[in-house]
């Protein structure tokens, strides 16, 4: 019984601790086209495209995120928690996330077709055989295990293609400042959520801030990430993506999402 509870706790705490509600920038797909949806202003779409190209063209990158996220407690009391995350991507098949927050910590490694998630507080970890390309891994764990890695759109081979399946409206808000960095502020909407991006104006048009409002959820909780220390090396050491699991940690299994009966 305890093992079963740990499995459930691990998966749901991944969602809570890695990034609020652990979904991507917006809501359910409304289109399969990567073309600009008609409700998005051309200039906002142009800025988004440049950001997508800056990330998609990089063989490797890493960044640090300072995170604030809401949880709505009964009876409808919204409270805010904080966290920090270090993110590393090596295309096409490696990803690492190290997360610490008010609610706990998680570490995640993806390499050579294996995904490993570790929960230090509970001294448990889990591994899963997944596709050997980042895009395929993200799709598989979302579909089969109801797990979406936070900010994983940044790691996708074509971030714009992912986002344009979801957003319905968007526009340019204007220039803005994020911790002393001058940025372009753009905002988008989908059927279930709104999200905003602040993109660096001085160099690569990389995201400096992300705000997601889950307005379809009770209390409209928000997720805020301030992104810094961006690096674009040719190669990140393989050791960064190699799972480091203490010998005394217990291995548990991923839950598989069962298909609903008609």
């Amino acid at each position: 019984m305890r093992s079963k509870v740990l499995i459930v706790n691990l998966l749901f705490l991944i969602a809570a601790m890695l990034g609020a509600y652990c979904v991507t920038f917006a809501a359910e797909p409304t289109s399969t086209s990567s073309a600009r949806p008609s409700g998005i202003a051309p200039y906002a779409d142009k800025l988004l495209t440049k950001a997508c190209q800056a990330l998609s063209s990089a063989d490797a990158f890493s960044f640090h995120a300072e995170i604030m996220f809401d949880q709505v407690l009964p009876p409808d009391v919204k409270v805010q928690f904080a966290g920090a995350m270090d993110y590393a991507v090596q295309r096409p098949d490696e990803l690492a996330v190290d997360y610490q927050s008010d609610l706990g910590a998680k570490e995640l490694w993806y390499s050579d077709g294996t995904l490993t998630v570790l929960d230090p507080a509970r001294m448990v970890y889990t591994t899963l055989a997944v596709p050997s390309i980042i895009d395929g891994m993200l799709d598989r764990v979302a579909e089969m295990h109801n797990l979406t890695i936070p900010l994983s759109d940044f790691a996708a081979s074509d971030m714009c293609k992912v986002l344009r399946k979801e957003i319905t409206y968007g526009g340019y808000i204007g220039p803005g400042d994020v911790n002393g960095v001058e940025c372009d502020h753009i905002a988008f909407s989908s059927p279930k959520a709104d999200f905003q991006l602040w993109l660096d104006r001085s160099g690569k048009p990389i995201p400096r801030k992300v705000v997601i409002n889950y307005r379809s959820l009770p209390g409209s909780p928000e997720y805020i990430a301030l992104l810094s220390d961006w690096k674009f090396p040719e190669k990140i050491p393989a050791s960064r993506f190699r799972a480091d699991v203490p010998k005394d940690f217990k291995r548990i299994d991923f839950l598989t999402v069962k298909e609903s009966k008609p």
Side-chain angles (χ1 to χ4, degrees):
M1 182 63 180
R2 177 174 173 78
S3 294
K4 184 177 181 180
V5 171
L6 284 173
I7 294 170
V8 175
N9 282 346
L10 178 61
L11 290 178
F12 282 91
L13 284 169
I14 289 169
M17 296 181 187
L18 276 180
Y21 296 89
C22 206
V23 298
T24 50
F25 287 146
E28 296 175 354
T30 57
S31 169
T32 57
S33 173
S34 61
R36 174 175 62 88
S38 59
I40 299 179
Y43 188 55
D45 188 70
K46 179 180 179 180
L47 292 172
L48 179 62
T49 298
K50 288 183 177 180
C52 293
Q53 291 172 344
L55 295 181
S56 297
S57 63
D59 291 333
F61 63 84
S62 62
F63 62 85
H64 176 78
E66 291 291 329
I67 297 165
M68 293 173 286
F69 59 96
D70 295 335
Q71 285 197 0
V72 181
L73 307 177
D76 298 328
V77 177
K78 184 161 63 176
V79 296
Q80 187 179 84
F81 297 99
M85 178 166 57
D86 288 305
Y87 216 97
V89 174
Q90 180 75 57
R91 302 191 192 281
D93 57 0
E94 293 179 304
L95 173 69
V97 179
D98 186 351
Y99 184 81
Q100 307 284 330
S101 85
D102 294 335
L103 301 183
K106 291 290 179 292
E107 294 183 60
L108 179 150
W109 302 272
Y110 164 65
S111 181
D112 297 327
T114 299
L115 177 67
T116 303
V117 181
L118 181 143
D119 183 335
R122 290 165 178 79
M123 298 179 65
V124 296
Y125 73 99
T126 185
T127 62
L128 183 70
V130 291
S132 58
I133 300 297
I134 291 175
D135 288 12
M137 179 273 290
L138 296 175
D139 290 341
R140 174 71 61 82
V141 297
E143 178 183 356
M144 300 297 295
H145 304 280
N146 198 30
L147 169 63
T148 303
I149 299 168
L151 303 181
S152 60
D153 289 348
F154 292 159
S157 61
D158 187 346
M159 183 174 73
C160 276
K161 183 178 181 180
V162 175
L163 295 179
R164 287 176 182 139
K165 291 179 181 179
E166 306 169 334
I167 56 181
T168 53
Y169 298 98
Y172 179 65
I173 306 303
D177 179 275
V178 179
N179 291 334
V181 178
E182 189 176 5
C183 295
D184 285 308
H185 181 189
I186 53 179
F188 301 92
S189 182
S190 74
K192 292 186 178 182
D194 302 319
F195 72 95
Q196 304 170 67
L197 289 172
W198 283 255
L199 305 175
D200 196 322
R201 302 184 77 181
S202 60
K204 286 181 180 288
I206 52 178
R208 292 290 183 176
K209 182 178 178 180
V210 178
V211 174
I212 310 172
N213 179 267
Y214 300 94
R215 52 183 166 74
S216 65
L217 295 178
S220 298
E222 282 193 336
Y223 174 85
I224 302 169
L226 298 174
L227 312 175
S228 63
D229 198 25
W230 282 91
K231 296 177 181 177
F232 292 86
E234 292 185 6
K235 181 76 174 178
I236 296 175
S239 58
R240 179 68 179 86
F241 307 100
R242 189 177 302 123
D244 183 13
V245 179
K247 293 181 179 180
D248 56 345
F249 276 40
K250 181 179 180 180
R251 186 181 184 278
I252 60 176
D253 294 324
F254 262 100
L255 287 179
T256 299
V257 178
K258 295 181 180 180
E259 295 183 4
S260 58
K261 297 181 179 180

